[in-house]
Structure formats: structure tokens, C-alpha cells
Amino acid sequence: MSTDPRTIAGVGIPDSTMAQAATELVRDAETELLYHHSRRVFLFGALTGERRGVTYDAELLYIGAMFHDIGLMDAHASPNERFEVDGANAARNFLQSYGLPERDVDDVWDSIALHTTPGIPKHKRSTVSLVAAGVEMDVLGIGFEEFTSKQRNDVCACHPRGLKFKQGILSSFCMGTIRKPETTFGNIKADVLSKMDPTYRRTDFTEAVLASKWTT
């Protein structure tokens, strides 16, 4: 059973049977770095929703946040799907085992599948938009100044970033995609492999268009 606090930075951590099971599953499956990152994503997403006056389902937001990077782990990785899709599929299987409505399952699936696709999640329902907002805050610092220093400190006191989080999260992205580089076509993980894998060659969209079998 998790011993993490039930309230962090004023945000209650969902503690239903399903939420507890998700916590234990992700904690067992992921590295410490990814586990703490996922919890921070939930907290920053929830704080964003409260600041914006957005109505959201805390439990769905929690599941989306907790599962959003699980596709980086070998046990949950497919040979040829984007890691975001692998994570979304893992969350869908988990939620379906609890009999959740299809719309809720779809929202969580979208929140994970789209969390690295800038410009789209903010137009979707709150589970999707707030998971993305939490990821953007924790990884890129987007909206950093919109959180109080106390909120940031409280979140990181319970779920520390560590001294080398930036390099660590990039390494996690690299290791989760390096064996299937074709899945980075058209998405931001191409930037990661370009920097971290000397054998990687980015697929260029314009080259792909010009090289197609069409004659004109």
C-alpha cells in the first residue's frame, strides 16, 4: 500500500480502490523518476484546472497522469506503436477491467495518446487538456509562473525532481523509443533521438512526400 500523502499542495489524491490499484501498478512498473513525474503531472494538472475554474474528474485525471509514460517501459511497450499509444492502451485495459463508461475510457485514452501533441489537447475535454497541462509544466516549465512558489515547493517536496531530472526524463524518452525509431516520425521524440542516438536519422516529411510512388 502506498504511503504517499493524501493531500499535496491542497490537492486531494484520489484514493478509491481503482486509484490505489493504479498507483501500485505504476509504482511497480516504472522507475522512481517516472513515478514521481507522473504524480507531479497529476498535481500540476489539477492545480491548473482549479486555477482556471475547470470542472474535472480527479480520478480520470489521476489515471491519465499515472499511465501517461508507462509505454516507455519494456513490459508495456509494443514493437511498433508510439509509446503514447502503448500507454493509452494499457490505461484502457485497466479502466475497462473496472467497468468504466466508454466515454471516460476514451477521454483517458486521448489524454495519454495526445500528451506530446502540442496545440490539440487544450481543445479537448478536461481530462485530456489537464493531463497535457501537467506534462507541459513538469517537463517544459510552461505556466511555471502561474503556480505559486509554495505550490511548486509542496509538490516537489513530496515528489522530488532530483538534481538531474531534465537529463533523466530525456534518457527515459530515448530508451523508450530507441528500438522503434520509426515511431518518432512527425512527433517530438525525433528531437530526443536526434540528440541522444548517433545512429538515428530523422525521417523528413518533405522527402517522404517527394519519394512517394505518385508521379505528380
Side-chain angles (χ1 to χ4, degrees), residues 46-202:
L47 288 168
T48 298
E50 292 171 5
R51 185 177 66 249
R52 295 176 180 173
V54 173
T55 300
Y56 66 92
D57 185 311
E59 192 167 48
L60 297 182
L61 177 60
Y62 186 73
I63 301 298
M66 294 305 291
F67 276 85
H68 85 278
D69 274 344
I70 203 168
L72 294 170
M73 308 308 298
D74 288 348
H76 295 275
S78 69
N80 52 17
E81 294 283 4
R82 287 177 55 161
F83 88 90
E84 300 96 329
V85 172
D86 289 336
N89 288 341
R92 178 171 59 195
N93 292 338
F94 175 83
L95 291 172
Q96 287 177 337
S97 73
Y98 283 89
L100 263 68
E102 184 176 355
R103 172 172 160 159
D104 291 346
V105 174
D106 286 347
D107 278 354
V108 172
W109 195 97
D110 283 353
S111 77
I112 299 169
L114 294 174
H115 81 268
T116 61
T117 306
I120 303 298
K122 66 181 180 180
H123 298 289
K124 303 283 282 181
R125 286 191 286 267
S126 58
T127 298
V128 184
S129 64
L130 295 179
V131 167
V135 172
E136 289 169 352
M137 167 58 178
D138 201 50
V139 176
L140 297 168
I142 294 174
F144 186 88
E145 297 296 343
E146 297 177 8
F147 298 85
T148 67
S149 58
K150 185 178 188 307
Q151 287 174 330
R152 295 192 301 265
N153 291 339
D154 285 353
V155 169
C156 293
C158 291
H159 295 290
R161 290 175 63 87
L163 295 177
K164 297 182 178 180
F165 174 73
K166 292 179 179 180
Q167 188 61 41
I169 194 68
L170 290 174
S171 295
S172 296
F173 294 152
C174 178
M175 295 308 296
T177 55
I178 197 168
R179 290 189 293 278
K180 45 183 180 178
E182 69 283 354
T183 65
T184 67
F185 177 55
N187 69 78
I188 59 177
K189 293 306 177 284
D191 295 339
V192 175
L193 291 189
S194 291
K195 293 287 187 183
M196 304 187 76
D197 178 8
T199 69
Y200 175 74
R201 183 180 181 276
R202 183 193 296 266

